[in-house]
Amino acid sequence: MTVHGLSSPFTPHGDQPLQIAIVGRGFSGLMMAIALLKSVGQPFRLRMFDPRPIVSGGQALATARSTEILNSRARDLSVSTGEPKDFTRWLQANAPFREAVSAAIPGFGQIFVPKSTFSDYVYQRFSEALAQRTDVSVQMSNEGITSIRRNDNGLFTLGLADGSEAIYNTVVLATGYGLKVPLEKPEQDLEATLRDRRSAPRHVVVMGNGLRAVDQVLQLRDGGFAGRITILSRRGFLPQPHTRMPADAVFPSQPMPSQLRNIVRFVRKACAEAEENGWSWQAAMNGLRKRARTLWASLPPSEKRQFNRHLRAIYDSHRNRLPADVHARLERELAGGLTEMKRGTTLKHMPDGLFVRWAGQTTGEHFAADKVIDCRCLSPDLKDPVVADLLSAGLATTDELDLGLAVNPAGELLTQRGRPVGLFAIGPLGLGSLPDIDLVPEIVTQTYAAAALIDARARPQLQAG
Ligand SMILES: Cc1cc2nc3c(=O)[nH]c(=O)nc-3n(C[C@H](O)[C@H](O)[C@H](O)COP(=O)(O)OP(=O)(O)OC[C@H]3O[C@@H](n4cnc5c(N)ncnc54)[C@H](O)[C@@H]3O)c2cc1C
């Protein structure tokens, strides 16, 4: 068996270089690398693992066609801490982009850009940050990680899919929803659907009601699919539109009530007041997002469960919004009659469709489809061997609702016995602890907080060494 990495025990005051592993090269992993390159003052070695060979912005961006639009405004997508206009400045300096977009749009802050444009920006910032650091070595490895063990000396041994092992003093998990998610699947499905016109399906069912489901429907139409589409969703809430106005965050300054029922009333009133005052409910929702973390932390587990059962779908449809033009296109699509939304729960996949219990019914029935594409909302895979390993070794615990791993805002894993020093989980893995940690602005903030901790912990070694 080959063992890479640290050859002798790392001590807080030893002279071993900082050796960091990032597991996952989606947006969270790449963003973590940028934050480390920009924040950690001393030399370090970084190895980034992912069996998917691409280095990109991840799930939302990897398979993006140049026409697909991100759902966040450009002003919210800076990857540079303390420089909220970094992305819009990058756009302004990008000649092909400026030519393609009307110069009349002041500052580009309010616009929505293609996913591929954001991916180019993230990758460029990563390359620039790396070019600035001749004292850092970065290695990309196309191996998946199969296990993580903490050794007696506090170092972490990573088991690689090829059977070898590697040792690190800091490990950052950025595995998103885990490897079970076939990230390229919707795209492959789409190609397969459209390739053979003779056997092209007449009825496609898209399961889910979030951004992925909407993306898939529009991609099918963009690809020339002219058959029937059913969007099958349990709750039936599709993403709401962004307003064409700026929607800067507004929210009442009074303290929020403590009970869920009263919180809902409070939020409804805040949205109505925002509309009355010439802002928009979207501005109030943006304000709510700024308080969501404290609010979530203050709710008892029973109310968190209640929220997930009854309100999560509504909240998601209002926080993950579609650019107004894309939303208008979705509405036209639904009004056209060839695409419809149906409420129901999938009980079973069948060779020629699904077995579905329609909303309001007690029994299921067969729903015929030539093709079914699963775009349901995801939660982190806690049965993933790496995550399961950490849980059984006591290096991680789940959050109160078992939605993901318990983490603090800097991504440190939390356990009953404290925080295993040097072990982080960034992005969607922490969704049960930190609302909205699956979104770009929150991931950016978390990676810089994690990088600051890693930097601070490594500093005494330098002074003592
Ligand atoms: C269609 C869509 C549109 C979106 N639009 C927006 C938007 O407009 N604005 C916004 O803020 N957010 C948006 N998001 C959400 C946001 O972009 C994602 O939540 C975020 O990109 C998550 O990135 P990630 O790196 O954590 O996860 P992923 O992108 O899922 O990457 C995880 C990576 O980890 C790897 N991995 C998993 N297990 C292992 C292992 N054992 N070993 C090694 N590697 C492993 C996987 O191969 C994968 O490459 C969107 C999401 C989707 C799906």
Side-chain angles (χ1 to χ4, degrees), residues 142-275:
N142 291 345
E143 291 293 334
I145 295 301
T146 52
S147 63
I148 300 180
R149 239 182 23 244
R150 188 164 62 166
N151 309 330
D152 293 341
N153 52 16
L155 300 176
F156 297 98
T157 299
L158 269 53
L160 277 59
D162 67 0
S164 64
E165 293 188 332
I167 301 176
Y168 296 90
N169 39 41
T170 304
V171 175
V172 181
L173 277 181
T175 52
Y177 302 95
L179 283 176
K180 68 169 184 184
V181 185
L183 299 188
E184 299 81 6
K185 193 160 175 281
E187 191 82 357
Q188 283 169 355
D189 275 346
L190 177 68
E191 300 306 338
T193 300
L194 300 169
R195 200 176 302 125
D196 185 357
R197 301 266 165 192
R198 278 164 308 152
S199 60
R202 285 157 298 151
H203 179 210
V204 175
V205 173
V206 175
M207 294 164 72
N209 57 1
L211 300 172
R212 288 173 69 217
V214 175
D215 254 22
Q216 186 62 83
V217 170
L218 300 182
Q219 276 185 51
L220 279 164
R221 293 299 184 218
D222 285 343
F225 177 64
R228 201 177 127 216
I229 302 177
T230 302
I231 304 172
L232 177 63
S233 141
R234 215 148 70 92
R235 305 272 182 203
F237 296 107
L238 284 167
Q240 294 288 312
H242 279 289
T243 166
R244 291 187 195 272
M245 296 190 289
D248 291 334
V250 290
F251 208 71
S253 53
Q254 298 102 286
M256 297 272 271
S258 54
Q259 273 193 316
L260 194 55
R261 196 175 342 121
N262 299 333
I263 294 170
V264 172
R265 264 192 223 122
F266 189 90
V267 173
R268 280 213 178 107
K269 190 158 166 268
C271 289
E273 279 171 6
E275 294 276 327

Side-chain angles (χ1 to χ4, degrees), residues 22-31 48-54 56-63 68-73 76-77 112-113 115 118 141-147 159 161 173-181 183-184 210-216 219 242 289 319-321 323 378 384-387 426-429 431 436-443:
I22 299 179
V23 185
R25 278 193 307 252
F27 177 71
S28 299
L30 203 55
M31 189 57 236
M48 299 180 72
F49 296 92
D50 200 318
R52 295 184 168 106
I54 41 167
S56 78
Q59 176 173 4
L61 312 171
T63 59
E68 285 175 43
I69 303 294
L70 261 181
N71 306 293
S72 297
R73 289 174 202 268
D76 297 323
L77 295 174
F112 298 91
V113 299
K115 289 175 184 170
F118 181 62
S141 168
N142 291 345
E143 291 293 334
I145 295 301
T146 52
S147 63
L173 277 181
T175 52
Y177 302 95
L179 283 176
K180 68 169 184 184
V181 185
L183 299 188
E184 299 81 6
L211 300 172
R212 288 173 69 217
V214 175
D215 254 22
Q216 186 62 83
Q219 276 185 51
H242 279 289
R289 267 188 59 193
R319 75 172 182 134
N320 291 333
R321 298 189 292 264
L378 305 161
D384 176 273
V386 174
V387 174
I426 297 295
L429 276 170
L431 255 178
D436 297 335
I437 196 62
D438 53 339
L439 297 180
V440 169
E442 279 75 8
I443 293 172

Side-chain angles (χ1 to χ4, degrees), residues 409-433:
E412 287 179 292
L413 288 174
L414 305 176
T415 70
Q416 270 87 19
R417 283 178 289 148
R419 291 167 285 178
V421 173
L423 195 52
F424 296 80
I426 297 295
L429 276 170
L431 255 178
S433 315

Side-chain angles (χ1 to χ4, degrees), residues 29 129 167 224 306 310 327-328 382 396 404 449 453 456:
I167 301 176
Q306 211 182 328
H310 304 296
H327 188 263
L382 298 179
L453 277 183

